[in-house]
Amino acid sequence: MADRTSKKPPTTRKTSLYRLTDDGDPDLRSLIRPRYLDQEGFRARPVRQGPLRGLLVTGTTAPGPADWCQALADLTGLAVNEENHTAFGLLIVRTEKHIYALGHGMGHLMIEPARIDPGFGIHFAVRCLEKDRVTKVRRQIMDARGRSDENSVTSGEHIRGFGIEEFGEIVSHIAGKVRGIPLTYTGGDAAGAHITGNDRSVKLRLGRTPEDLMNDLLAIEEVCERDDPLPEFDFITQVRPLEAVSDLAQGLDARLDEMLGTGVPGRVGLAVPSECREGFDSAETFRVRVARRTRTVPELDAQTLLGPVSSCAPGERLETLRKGKVQMFADSDAEEVISGNVSAGRWLTAEVVEEGAHYFLWQGKWYEVGAEYLATVKRRVTELLARPSRITLPPWPKGEGEGPYNEKRVAARAGYVLLDKKNVHTARLHGGGWEVCDLLGPDGQLIHIKKAPSGTAPLNHLFAQARMCVETLKYDTGARRKFIAKLDEIAPGHPARDFREPTVVLGILLKEGEPVTADSLFSFAQISLLHTDNVLKGLGARLEVVSIGR
C-alpha cells in the first residue's frame, strides 16, 4: 500500500483571478476598499518574493452569533451561541502590462469594484476554450421577459449545443476545457485544464510558487492579446456589460442625465422590467412617484416618467428618476396591487453613441454593443420587414382606440374575424382568459395589433403576445379545441382550422404613422423582434410585420 505521507503537495490551487485597471498610482493599496485597510485584524503587506511584486491583504471577521442561533434556541430550549468566522485573502500582483488580484475566501470583496475589468473573464475564455468541450453557459435574454438561463453538461459539448441565439442574448458565464496553453496545471497533460470565465473574473488553477504563478499570468496575457476570439465564440463578445461603478458607466449616466433635460429624448423610451413582465399585460393602472409628484395613469409612457425630471437640476435628473417608483394595479381604482414599487429607472431603455461606440441601458444596466453586431442586426431586421404579406391594414385615425380600430376598420372587411376581447379559458393560464389574437385574417393569419408611439414596452408586449399565441396553440390541445369551437361560434363559415404552421402578423402603428423600419425601431426592439422570429420559427410559424399608417 502506498505511503500517504510521501504524497507530493499540489503544485497549483484553484483561484479566482481578476484583472484590475491601472490608473498609474504606484500604491497598490488604492485598489483596496478603505474600510478593509482600516479594519482591526486586517493587514496589508508588500510582497517581494522571487519575480512577484505586489501586495498581500489578509484578515478575518467574526460578526457575532450566527443568525440561526436564536431560532435553534427557541426550538430546543437550549442555549446556542455559535459564531461565523469569515476569512479574507487577496494577493495583488503587478506584471509589466497589467495588475491582477487573486482572491481567496471572501478576499474578492476587498477589491474596489470600480477597478475590476468587467470584460476580462469572457475575453479570456472565448480566446482559448475548446469549442467542443464547453461545460456550462449562463446567459440573459434581452427581451421583454428579461430572464436568465443556465445550462450545464458534465463531459462538455459544442458551444452551439447550448442553443444560444446569435442575437438578443448576453453570455455572462462560460466554462469548459482549454488546451495548448502552457499553464502550470496542464504540465503537458493532453486532457487540458478546466476554466470558468464570467463578466468579472476567471476561475482556474494557478501555480503555487512565485515563478509558476508569474509564468501562468504571462500565458494568460498572451491569450488575451490575441486580436480576435475563436470564430465559434465571436458572437458572444458583441455585447459586453459594464460595471455600474466604472468610469465609463458613470460617464454614460452623466450623458443620459443631460439627455433627460430635454423632456423626451429621441433615444430614450419605455421598457418593462423583468420583475413586472408577468403582471404588465393585465395592469389597468400605474401609480408613478417621481420628483415628489404622484400620478395615477391608465397607461404608462415615457413622458409620464421623464416629464417630472426634465426640470430637475443638471446632475440630479437620473438619480431622481432612479429614486422614483412605479407600481402596477389590476383595477382602475388602484386598489388591487399586482407589483411592488419598482425603480422608475428600470422602466427605461436608452441608446447613447460616443465616438462611434454604441451603449444601451437595459434593466438599469449599461451594455456596450459592437458596431458589427448592430450592422448585422439591422440587416437581418430589414430582411424580416421586407417579407411579403397578404395582409393590408387600413390607416388608424388619431384619437381612435385599439378596440374601435380593430372592429370598425379591420374586421369590417371581408374575410377578417374580430377576436379582440373574445377570450378562451385554458388550464395553461390557470383558468384565466386567453386572447388568442386581435383578428383572424382571410387565410387564417393570426393578427396582433399594437400602437407603439414611443419606447419598446408596447412592442415587447406585442412580441410576447405573439409567442404565447403560437406556444399555446401548439402545446395546449384543450386550448386549441376551445379556440376552434369559438371560431365555429362567431365565424362558422371561416375556412381556417389548421394552426400547425400558422402565419403570425404584427400590425404596428408607430408615432405619427411612420413606416416600421430598422431605423424607426430602437435597437433593443430590433433585437427582441429577431429573437421573437427565431422562437416562432422553432415553433413552425412564419412571422410578418405590417406597418399601419395614419
Side-chain angles (χ1 to χ4, degrees):
M1 184 174 181
D3 183 0
R4 292 183 180 272
T5 61
S6 64
K7 186 177 180 179
K8 291 183 179 180
T11 59
T12 61
R13 179 180 176 83
K14 183 172 282 189
T15 308
S16 292
L17 180 69
Y18 299 79
R19 190 168 68 187
L20 310 182
T21 57
D22 188 354
D23 64 357
D25 188 344
D27 185 4
L28 297 179
R29 294 165 60 96
S30 66
L31 300 166
I32 307 299
R33 303 176 85 170
R35 75 167 182 263
Y36 291 103
L37 293 173
D38 301 335
Q39 190 165 330
E40 184 179 352
F42 281 69
R43 291 193 298 168
R45 292 166 285 174
V47 174
R48 296 182 63 88
Q49 173 84 332
L52 284 189
R53 298 293 182 270
L55 180 73
L56 175 65
V57 186
T58 57
T60 302
T61 61
D67 59 6
W68 41 262
C69 291
Q70 190 59 51
L72 286 182
D74 293 343
L75 287 170
T76 64
L78 302 174
V80 181
N81 190 23
E82 304 295 341
E83 287 193 339
N84 286 320
H85 287 76
T86 304
F88 296 72
L90 188 70
L91 174 61
I92 298 178
V93 178
R94 188 191 291 273
T95 68
E96 291 185 2
K97 297 179 179 178
H98 295 288
I99 300 174
Y100 298 92
L102 287 70
H104 296 277
M106 302 302 290
H108 63 280
L109 296 178
M110 296 191 289
I111 305 172
E112 274 286 2
R115 303 298 296 276
I116 296 175
D117 180 349
F120 169 59
I122 299 295
H123 183 91
F124 173 71
V126 298
R127 283 164 172 76
C128 61
L129 280 172
E130 289 190 64
K131 64 180 184 297
D132 296 314
R133 303 291 298 280
V134 177
T135 58
K136 182 183 290 186
V137 170
R138 182 184 303 141
R139 73 279 187 97
Q140 189 169 27
I141 314 300
M142 297 169 69
D143 68 359
R145 294 167 290 179
R147 61 185 173 87
S148 295
D149 284 340
E150 183 173 301
N151 303 98
S152 59
V153 291
T154 304
S155 58
E157 65 174 72
H158 195 284
I159 179 62
R160 288 299 183 183
F162 287 86
I164 303 173
E165 296 287 353
E166 185 177 359
F167 302 107
E169 297 194 356
I170 304 163
V171 174
S172 60
H173 179 112
I174 186 167
K177 292 282 188 178
V178 299
R179 193 189 306 273
I181 303 175
L183 296 170
T184 303
Y185 178 66
T186 58
D189 184 358
H194 188 274
I195 67 136
T196 299
N198 59 44
D199 49 16
R200 288 171 60 85
S201 66
V202 177
K203 184 171 288 186
L204 74 172
R205 302 191 73 91
L206 295 174
R208 292 182 56 165
T209 68
E211 292 76 15
D212 286 345
L213 175 58
M214 286 300 294
N215 287 335
D216 287 344
L217 293 179
L218 294 177
I220 291 169
E221 286 185 351
E222 186 279 323
V223 171
C224 290
E225 288 171 358
R226 298 172 186 174
D227 290 338
D228 300 306
L230 297 170
E232 295 80 9
F233 299 95
D234 182 56
F235 68 97
I236 292 176
T237 65
Q238 293 294 322
V239 180
R240 185 172 72 94
L242 304 179
E243 284 292 326
V245 293
S246 67
D247 292 342
L248 179 53
Q250 291 181 357
L252 292 169
D253 280 352
R255 174 70 186 279
L256 179 56
D257 187 89
E258 293 177 13
M259 294 166 62
L260 295 179
T262 65
V264 183
R267 306 311 291 175
V268 178
L270 195 68
V272 182
S274 56
E275 61 266 40
C276 298
R277 178 63 262 169
E278 186 173 342
F280 181 77
D281 294 345
S282 57
E284 293 289 335
T285 310
F286 301 84
R287 179 173 293 156
V288 180
R289 297 183 179 93
V290 178
R292 299 182 181 178
R293 304 183 203 173
T294 300
R295 294 182 62 192
T296 301
V297 296
E299 291 188 11
L300 190 64
D301 57 23
Q303 176 60 40
T304 305
L305 300 177
L306 301 181
V309 302
S310 61
S311 58
C312 291
E316 296 180 3
R317 300 172 186 126
L318 182 56
E319 185 60 26
T320 299
L321 189 66
R322 285 172 171 164
K323 288 179 179 178
K325 301 295 181 183
V326 176
Q327 190 170 26
M328 302 189 302
F329 298 85
D331 65 314
S332 58
D333 295 325
E335 293 180 353
E336 189 179 340
V337 176
I338 55 174
S339 81
N341 281 301
V342 177
S343 167
R346 286 181 57 78
W347 284 86
L348 289 183
T349 181
E351 296 183 29
V352 174
V353 179
E354 292 279 6
E355 298 180 354
H358 291 254
Y359 303 96
F360 299 92
L361 183 72
W362 183 74
Q363 303 275 345
K365 189 177 181 70
W366 285 104
Y367 295 86
E368 180 179 1
V369 182
E372 182 180 343
Y373 177 93
L374 290 178
T376 306
V377 167
K378 186 173 182 178
R379 176 179 56 78
R380 288 274 302 275
V381 168
T382 300
E383 292 172 354
L384 190 161
L385 297 177
R387 290 176 189 168
S389 177
R390 297 187 64 184
I391 296 296
T392 58
L393 295 171
W396 190 328
K398 283 189 177 183
E400 188 168 84
E402 182 180 315
Y405 172 77
N406 289 336
E407 181 178 2
K408 298 178 182 178
R409 310 292 171 181
V410 186
R413 299 187 303 168
Y416 289 80
V417 178
L418 180 68
L419 295 172
D420 189 14
K421 304 295 190 297
K422 293 178 170 54
N423 293 355
V424 172
H425 293 270
T426 165
R428 189 168 188 259
L429 297 180
H430 310 290
W434 166 50
E435 184 180 284
V436 182
C437 55
D438 293 310
L439 299 135
L440 195 68
D443 299 315
Q445 298 96 330
L446 302 165
I447 305 173
H448 301 265
I449 303 292
K450 187 62 63 179
K451 182 191 298 184
S454 66
T456 63
L459 294 178
N460 284 339
H461 183 194
L462 181 69
F463 300 155
Q465 280 182 317
R467 287 192 296 263
M468 181 180 172
C469 166
V470 178
E471 287 171 352
T472 305
L473 285 175
K474 186 175 181 67
Y475 297 119
D476 191 330
T477 304
R480 188 168 60 251
R481 281 201 300 262
K482 289 183 177 181
F483 175 48
I484 293 174
K486 177 76 70 175
L487 283 181
D488 290 337
E489 174 188 335
I490 62 178
H494 200 285
R497 290 296 183 274
D498 185 355
F499 299 100
R500 288 175 296 181
E501 296 182 349
T503 294
V504 176
V505 178
L506 305 181
I508 300 174
L509 171 66
L510 293 182
K511 185 177 182 180
E512 302 305 324
E514 64 179 312
V516 179
T517 68
D519 292 323
S520 61
L521 293 176
F522 270 72
S523 292
F524 275 161
Q526 295 180 42
I527 291 170
S528 188
L529 177 60
L530 288 181
H531 193 268
T532 299
D533 185 45
N534 286 336
V535 171
L536 293 181
K537 280 180 183 176
L539 295 170
R542 170 184 167 85
L543 178 63
E544 298 172 356
V545 178
V546 176
S547 299
I548 302 176
R550 282 295 192 189

